[in-house]
Amino acid sequence: MKKLIWIIVVVILLAAGAVALVGASSSRSAGVPGSGVTAPAYLDQLVAGVSARLTTGKAELQRTLEAKKTVKSFRMTTLLRLHPGHPLETVVDVSCPDRERFSTTIGDRAFHAVRIGGKAYVEQQNGTWTVQDTPPSGWSPCGENPGEPAPWAVMNEGRDPAAVLAKVLESAEIVRGAFIATSSGNCQQWLVSLKLPQGAAQGHGNNGLRYTVCIDPKQHLPVSVSMGSGGMVTSYSDWNKPVQIEAPLN
């Protein structure tokens, strides 16, 4: 009870200070020049900081998984920079429960595919499409499913890394990161370190795998997931915006 009273007092004091400073702080908020994104307002940072201290990273990732079960559609954009030259960009439009449209570009080359129910359509270099049956394995990244990679995936482009991480929370260490602004809105970063089994950890030092997950603190939906130092970044957008995904005409 004493701890709860102390927390309430701190929140009231911080909020009072924020009201006095919010006008001045909004003029000081600065983003990356030319990016069109400004830093979060002071009051937003204050509220997010208090909220983040009253929860844990594991709880937030679990809330993200639960929130994602209710969405009808969204877009995942993955940038892969683990090779020289142009980054590999894969855009996946998802219409739940079982429709996906893939578009991957690298330089001036583009690849396209569509999945609908138990059918997968892949565009060939001559512009024609082939179709094949897909295994009934719950491939679509709807609900709590991570989905399946694109047909030509170099790594795991097309899978939902937020859902993957939410399923391995028992082997993860999570600490609070920064509260930042993005083109998709403000989000709270959580730094996730996965503990590898002893045998698998050989060759990785003792660091394991590291991810940065940024979560919208209001909707509890993921904004981005970055692997390591940013070699592979998946961004999320267009939550519940109508999307039409149909089989190719031929």
Side-chain angles (χ1 to χ4, degrees):
M1 179 62 71
K2 290 183 178 179
K3 183 178 180 181
L4 177 60
I5 294 174
W6 179 84
I7 291 174
I8 294 174
V9 171
V10 170
V11 171
I12 292 173
L13 291 175
L14 290 175
V19 172
L21 293 173
V22 66
S25 64
S26 60
S27 63
R28 292 196 302 269
S29 295
V32 178
S35 68
V37 178
T38 59
Y42 179 82
L43 184 57
D44 290 338
Q45 296 183 53
L46 180 66
V47 172
V50 173
S51 298
R53 285 178 170 82
L54 298 178
T55 186
T56 66
K58 291 185 178 181
E60 282 302 297
L61 276 173
Q62 187 60 44
R63 288 191 188 99
T64 293
L65 192 64
E66 294 301 317
K68 189 165 165 285
K69 292 178 181 180
T70 66
V71 303
K72 303 301 182 184
S73 61
F74 62 99
R75 169 175 285 185
M76 291 189 298
T77 302
T78 299
L79 287 178
L80 182 62
R81 297 186 177 90
L82 298 182
H83 53 81
H86 295 285
L88 182 71
E89 181 182 62
T90 300
V91 178
V92 185
D93 290 308
V94 180
S95 178
C96 296
D98 59 0
R99 290 175 181 251
E100 287 180 320
R101 181 173 56 234
F102 296 85
S103 177
T104 291
T105 57
I106 178 169
D108 57 356
R109 297 191 63 186
F111 307 87
H112 304 284
V114 173
R115 287 185 184 142
I116 299 177
K119 300 291 184 180
Y121 307 83
V122 180
E123 186 182 33
Q124 306 303 302
Q125 290 187 0
N126 62 3
T128 62
W129 291 76
T130 60
V131 59
Q132 63 184 23
D133 293 330
T134 59
S137 58
W139 50 262
S140 180
C142 292
E144 61 182 21
N145 293 327
E148 296 291 338
W152 45 78
V154 176
M155 293 185 66
N156 273 321
E157 311 98 280
R159 283 175 66 87
D160 176 9
V164 173
L165 292 174
K167 289 177 174 290
V168 293
L169 293 178
E170 293 304 317
S171 60
E173 293 181 353
I174 308 177
V175 297
R176 185 172 62 91
F179 183 69
I180 65 172
T182 73
S183 58
S184 298
N186 297 337
C187 62
Q188 174 65 55
Q189 290 184 334
W190 296 95
L191 312 180
V192 181
S193 298
L194 294 182
K195 305 172 189 175
L196 294 176
Q198 183 146 5
Q202 294 179 3
H204 293 273
N206 295 319
N207 294 328
L209 300 175
R210 299 178 182 272
Y211 296 84
T212 301
V213 183
C214 214
I215 299 174
D216 181 336
K218 296 180 180 179
Q219 299 186 54
H220 300 291
L221 288 170
V223 174
S224 66
V225 177
S226 176
M227 183 183 72
S229 58
M232 180 170 163
V233 179
T234 298
S235 302
Y236 303 82
S237 61
D238 296 350
W239 294 105
N240 291 317
K241 290 186 177 180
V243 56
Q244 193 73 16
I245 300 176
E246 302 294 345
L249 292 178
N250 66 331

